[in-house]
Structure formats: C-alpha cells, structure tokens
Amino acid sequence: MFEFHLIELAMMLASAVRNLSRRSFSTSKAVSAQQLTVRDALNAALDEEMERDEKVFLLGEEVAQYDGAYKVSRGLWKKYGDKRVIDTPITEMGFAGIAVGAAMAGLRPVCEFMTFNFSMQAIDHVINSAAKTFYMSAGTVNVPIVFRGPNGAAAGVAAQHSQCFGAWYSHCPGLKVVSPYDSEDAKGLLKAAIRDPDPVVVLENEMVYGVSYPVSDQVLDKNFVLPIGKAKIMRPGKHITIVAHSKSVETAMLAANELAGKGIEAEVINLRSLRPLDSETIFKSVQKTHHLVTVEQGWPQSGIGSEICARVMEHETFFHLDAPIWRVTGADVPMPYAKTLEAAALPQVPDVVTAVNKVLGVK
C-alpha cells in the first residue's frame, strides 16, 4: 500500500511539472539557460564598463560604502575606490549638475537617482543642460552621461515614489530613453547607454531587481551590447499585437499565455527603447495581426500608448487595422497607498485580456 502511494505521488508530481511547463513562457532552450537577476545584470554592466573605460564613474546617494540602496553597485566601491564610486549628499540638483559638468569635460558619469521621482529635483540639468547642449553647441560638445535608477510603481510607497517617467523623458529631443524589462535588457541596454556619446535615461524597475531570468552565454559575455532603438518580439502571434515596456511586458506575457488557452495567439513586443521608438517593428506586427493593444503603468494622457496610436494613425499601417487600438494604462490618479487601491491603479492581466477580447470582438 505504501509503495502504491509513492507511485501515485510521483505521478501527481510529474503531471504538475507538465502543466507548469505548459503554462510557462520559457522554451526548452530557455529552461536550460543560466539564470541571472536584473540586479546582477546591472551590476555586471557597470563593472564591465568601468573596467573597460577609466573615464566611467558612478555617483549618487549610497552607491559606494552602502553598495547602493538596491545593491546594484555591490562591490564596485571596494574594487574601484572613492574617485570612481562616489557617495553624494541628498541633493539631486547638486550631484546631477556635477555629473553633467563632468560629462561636458570628457568623463562618462553614471548618475544614479534613488528613484526617478527624485529626478524632478534635477530635471533642469537633465533637460536644459544635458539634453540640449549638443544642439546648442552646433555639435561641438557631447554630453556622454547616463541617468539611471528605478522608475514606475514599486509596492506600498504611494504617490511620490511610484510614478512612471517614460512619457516625460521620451518627450524630449536630445535624450535617448531605454526601459529594460529582463536581465538581458538590463545588461545590454545599460552597457549601450554608457558607451553612447549622448545623454541616455535608463528607466529600471525596482520590482524586478531580484527576479532571475534565463540568459544565454552571449548575454554573459563582456562584449554583449544591445542596440538602442530596437524592440524585441517576446512571443510571436497572428491575431493581435500587444506592445509594452518595463514590467508591463510581464503583464502582457501573462495575458498572452491566458489568451493562448482560448485559441488567441497574441504577438508581444517589448519596446526596450522609448526614444528612439522602434515604430517599424510595431508597424510590421500590426500589418500581420491587424489589431493592437498597448500596455503601460504610466498615466493615460500623453503616454507611450498615445504616441504609438498616433504613429500608427499617421502611417499606412492604419489601413491594416480591423478595429480601433486599445490602450491599457495606469489609472489617471496619483498612486494610492492602500494595497488594494494600488493594485486597482495598475494594469493587471484581466485588464489586458478584456482589452484584447473587446478589440477582437470576443465575448
């Protein structure tokens, strides 16, 4: 009898594993790949670029002796010392200005904001000094600086610590803006940002810092760099296109997985870059699927989804649409503190599934 129960238990475990693998996003190739957290991917990118170029340095609040508020800069102060990993006072306006000046003088600063909500204290330096100088100097003064840190909603930190600045910064000519989702994005885009001759805003997400994602040997290579301005098709599909960035890619993938169980194959696009925006990848996908839904955690008015809608409308791709585009966004309110209200203010998987069903006319 005991042996029978063991066999029965083994069969149940095998069935559970099979069901889990069916629900997973990963392919067999991805399952066999190595795992890397987003935090470690960012740390590796900083380390490799600081090792590669002595002009690269990191500054910000608690980045040195404390190893970073989120431990992204762990070990870098001990390895590179006080001159290249610099703890600053709590004054975003002050250290952002120092960083921009250093970039104008030929160094390559990486300026960390503990959250991009605090970058509002320094936005004059980001826009008026960093973004506009190359144009205003007739191309004679480059400003090779990276502004990076967590952006968008975290958990339980309310309105002043939860805002997405993707639309804000991608509105501004002179800036490049990237919004990584997984470990591959984080490493490849941060390295590209540090090497870029112009200012780049890297909008990370605190909620995925500790999440492990499968990565290939290529991603782990010191020479791995992703191009800024190129989106990635995370999941191919033929019925509808879902476009997202940052943590909303996860929401889109979960929704696509649920839709697949109902026979709807959604193509999921991870934007990776908000400025420049990879319109061509979106156009090609929509011309194939004839339907489009955008997903973002930011507010609806003048958002990333709004920009995508406008670009499709102004392009011949508009004539390939069989239904209006649908935006899934954060609620048009400051982020509530209460956990239940916070969840209601952010796009959830059922919201995306509902949007897809409405666009496709599925009841």
Side-chain angles (χ1 to χ4, degrees):
M1 180 66 70
F2 178 69
E3 290 180 353
F4 173 77
H5 284 304
L6 283 177
I7 294 171
E8 186 178 36
L9 179 61
M11 292 175 66
M12 289 172 64
L13 285 170
S15 176
V17 168
R18 283 196 300 273
N19 289 334
L20 182 63
S21 66
R22 279 199 294 268
R23 289 199 299 269
S24 172
F25 306 147
S26 303
T27 62
S28 58
K29 181 179 180 181
V31 169
S32 65
Q34 300 173 74
Q35 298 286 317
L36 183 69
T37 66
V38 171
R39 177 183 291 109
D40 289 341
L42 293 166
N43 180 269
L46 289 167
D47 187 16
E48 290 168 10
E49 293 306 301
M50 291 179 75
E51 187 178 78
R52 174 179 175 270
D53 185 350
E54 63 181 11
K55 293 180 180 179
V56 177
F57 72 97
L58 174 67
L59 80 166
E61 296 154 356
E62 300 184 345
V63 299
Q65 296 185 42
Y66 189 64
D67 279 341
Y70 307 95
K71 306 307 175 192
V72 169
S73 55
R74 183 189 289 124
L76 298 181
W77 175 66
K78 290 180 180 177
K79 182 173 181 178
Y80 295 104
D82 290 320
K83 289 188 176 181
R84 297 189 64 197
V85 185
I86 303 169
D87 278 330
T88 68
I90 303 174
T91 167
E92 283 76 16
M93 182 184 290
F95 65 75
I98 290 170
V100 173
M104 290 178 177
L107 298 179
R108 289 184 172 269
V110 178
C111 177
E112 176 179 309
F113 295 122
M114 196 176 289
T115 160
F116 261 93
N117 297 269
F118 301 159
S119 74
M120 293 296 95
Q121 299 288 336
I123 197 166
D124 179 55
H125 289 303
V126 178
I127 306 302
N128 283 326
S129 299
K132 297 178 182 178
T133 294
F134 184 71
Y135 172 82
M136 294 181 70
S137 67
T140 61
V141 180
N142 286 95
V143 188
I145 186 171
V146 173
F147 299 100
R148 56 155 294 270
N151 169 72
V157 290
Q160 294 175 330
H161 296 72
S162 301
Q163 188 174 331
C164 176
F165 289 90
W168 285 56
Y169 285 115
S170 65
H171 178 68
C172 303
L175 290 179
K176 296 183 177 76
V177 183
V178 297
S179 182
Y181 161 55
D182 58 14
S183 303
E184 178 180 319
D185 292 358
K187 185 179 181 187
L189 291 173
L190 180 54
K191 286 170 72 73
I194 293 171
R195 296 184 188 189
D196 200 275
D198 299 306
V200 183
V201 173
V202 181
L203 301 172
E204 301 157 11
N205 190 284
E206 178 186 342
M207 299 304 291
V208 298
Y209 276 158
V211 179
S212 293
Y213 294 94
V215 293
S216 65
D217 290 336
Q218 181 187 8
V219 174
L220 297 174
D221 190 274
K222 288 187 176 182
N223 296 315
F224 176 73
V225 179
L226 287 172
I228 294 175
K230 183 63 180 173
K232 178 184 179 182
I233 296 177
M234 302 291 289
R235 176 183 183 131
K238 60 183 179 180
H239 297 127
I240 192 164
T241 301
I242 305 176
V243 180
H245 71 96
S246 189
K247 197 171 186 300
S248 292
V249 175
E250 176 186 296
T251 308
M253 290 290 284
L254 288 167
N257 208 45
E258 183 175 326
L259 290 163
K262 303 174 183 176
I264 299 170
E265 293 298 330
E267 181 151 290
V268 178
I269 296 176
N270 171 9
L271 285 175
R272 284 183 167 172
S273 177
L274 304 182
R275 186 183 184 105
L277 188 68
D278 186 1
S279 300
E280 282 305 312
T281 294
I282 299 171
F283 294 159
K284 288 179 182 177
S285 178
V286 174
Q287 288 171 19
K288 176 179 66 174
T289 66
H290 309 292
H291 302 90
L292 175 60
V293 167
T294 67
V295 188
E296 62 187 307
Q297 290 191 341
W299 293 319
Q301 182 164 322
S302 307
I304 300 299
S306 302
E307 177 65 21
I308 291 170
C309 289
R311 293 198 185 191
V312 171
M313 288 282 288
E314 294 164 357
H315 190 264
E316 64 173 338
T317 302
F318 171 73
F319 299 103
H320 293 263
L321 286 171
D322 288 343
I325 303 169
W326 197 285
R327 293 178 300 153
V328 180
T329 72
D332 195 21
V333 295
M335 181 61 70
Y337 174 68
K339 188 174 182 179
T340 51
L341 294 177
E342 181 182 70
L346 292 169
Q348 305 296 334
V349 172
D351 300 323
V352 180
V353 171
T354 298
V356 168
N357 286 337
K358 287 183 176 180
V359 171
L360 294 177
V362 177
K363 294 182 179 179

